[in-house]
């Protein structure tokens, strides 16, 4: 299953094919993270390691990229891909995104590719992201969010079609959680709209009369680019 690779274009040409194939996300988070030379980056749910290896190239030898995953199989695959790509400034770490095994204020940028929606406790994930980010640090992930009222039947159909939609937060809820955690400069931009394959809807037209002012007849699931900043980090601002 390499449907993730089309998002990455020519960047993946020099990476092991197994890294590309193990990446089944909804976008290319490194493209939106605006990574800079020397950044310390953390990828939440690093899977086969593709995003980590791309990020490592972007931040250069002065930078460092951590990949966090909870499964031994994925960590083994990622480390194998790292060896084959001969990338030194990378470390794959076993753990959970709800309890990140890194010290406070140790990371410049957090990236993640359609993983946060799988977490049962998203508030805890965002708190952990906040904790490990340095003041001025950036949160830049792709994830699936819902927009507008989603009829129960449609949500059920979409869950059957692709399981990772099951935990999708409403866009407003995601924004609110980020705000409550303390993030600023919150920006959520739709990249892809998901529609179930034809013939897989069971009365999803129910309850579509409530337009929320945007001309949409009903809610939808979108793959979104989600950015936010942990305030502070400039000279004289203090790191309180």
């Amino acid at each position: 299953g390499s449907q993730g690779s089309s998002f990455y274009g020519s960047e993946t040409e020099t990476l092991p094919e197994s890294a590309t194939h193990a990446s089944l996300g909804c976008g290319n988070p490194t493209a939106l993270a605006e990574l800079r030379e020397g950044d310390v980056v953390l990828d939440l749910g690093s899977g086969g390691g593709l995003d980590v290896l791309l990020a490592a190239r972007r931040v250069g030898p002065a930078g460092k990229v951590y990949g966090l995953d909870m499964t031994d199989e994925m960590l083994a695959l990622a480390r194998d891909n790292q060896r084959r790509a001969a990338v030194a400034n990378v470390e794959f770490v076993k753990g959970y995104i709800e309890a990140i095994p890194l010290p406070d204020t140790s990371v410049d940028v957090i990236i993640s590719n359609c993983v946060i929606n799988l977490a049962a406790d998203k508030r805890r994930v965002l708190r952990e992201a906040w904790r490990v980010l340095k003041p001025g640090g950036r949160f830049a992930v792709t994830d699936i969010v819902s927009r507008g009222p989603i009829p129960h039947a449609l949500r059920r159909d979409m869950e059957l079609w692709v399981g990772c939609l099951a935990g999708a937060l409403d866009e407003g809820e995601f924004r609110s959680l980020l705000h409550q955690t303390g993030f600023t400069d919150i920006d959520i931009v739709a990249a892809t709209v998901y529609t179930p394959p034809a013939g897989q809807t069971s009365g999803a037209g129910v309850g579509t009369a409530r337009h929320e002012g945007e001309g949409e007849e009903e809610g939808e699931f979108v793959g979104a680019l989600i950015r936010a900043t942990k305030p502070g980090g400039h000279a004289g601002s203090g790191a309180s």
Side-chain angles (χ1 to χ4, degrees):
S2 60
Q3 57 261 57
S5 57
S6 61
F7 289 101
Y8 296 86
S10 61
E11 279 193 75
T12 59
E13 281 169 13
T14 57
L15 292 174
E17 199 177 333
S18 55
T20 320
H21 281 183
S23 176
L24 298 175
C26 55
N28 176 352
T30 51
L32 73 124
E34 292 120 25
L35 301 180
R36 302 193 270 255
E37 288 275 327
D39 275 344
V40 177
V41 180
L42 167 63
D43 182 14
L44 298 178
S46 47
L50 174 61
D51 293 328
V52 171
L53 297 175
L54 290 174
R57 187 181 297 164
R58 202 78 60 93
V59 301
K64 173 86 186 258
V65 186
Y66 293 96
L68 176 65
D69 207 278
M70 62 183 182
T71 64
D72 291 320
E73 298 88 334
M74 279 299 169
L75 288 165
L77 174 62
R79 286 172 184 140
D80 186 48
N81 287 327
Q82 179 188 353
R83 276 191 298 272
R84 290 160 61 190
V87 176
N89 57 334
V90 158
E91 187 179 332
F92 290 101
V93 182
K94 183 171 183 176
Y96 296 91
I97 64 175
E98 297 90 346
I100 298 168
L102 290 178
D104 295 0
T105 60
S106 56
V107 173
D108 294 298
V109 188
I110 285 178
I111 62 174
S112 181
N113 193 348
C114 284
V115 170
I116 294 170
N117 57 353
L118 303 175
D121 190 346
K122 294 171 183 66
R123 185 184 296 274
R124 197 164 148 200
V125 174
L126 295 183
R127 273 201 211 117
E128 278 290 272
W130 170 273
R131 179 184 66 77
V132 300
L133 278 173
K134 300 173 186 176
R138 286 129 39 227
F139 177 83
V141 307
T142 53
D143 218 326
I144 295 168
V145 296
S146 60
R147 283 188 158 170
I150 305 283
H152 176 72
L154 176 60
R155 187 175 280 276
R156 193 183 59 228
D157 289 334
M158 297 294 275
E159 284 173 22
L160 292 173
W161 174 51
V162 50
C164 73
L165 294 180
L169 278 181
D170 175 77
E171 180 184 6
E173 291 174 327
F174 209 128
R175 193 181 288 277
S176 173
L177 274 184
L178 283 164
H179 178 71
Q180 288 165 29
T181 306
F183 285 99
T184 56
D185 306 323
I186 299 164
D187 186 32
I188 301 180
V189 181
T192 330
V193 175
Y194 290 88
T195 49
Q200 236 173 286
T201 51
S202 52
V206 182
T208 57
R210 300 182 291 168
H211 320 270
E212 231 77 39
E214 287 193 35
E216 272 142 47
E217 300 201 332
E218 60 188 57
E220 58 191 5
F221 289 100
V222 296
L225 314 178
I226 300 160
R227 290 186 183 90
T229 304
K230 179 173 178 173
H234 301 296
S237 67
S240 54

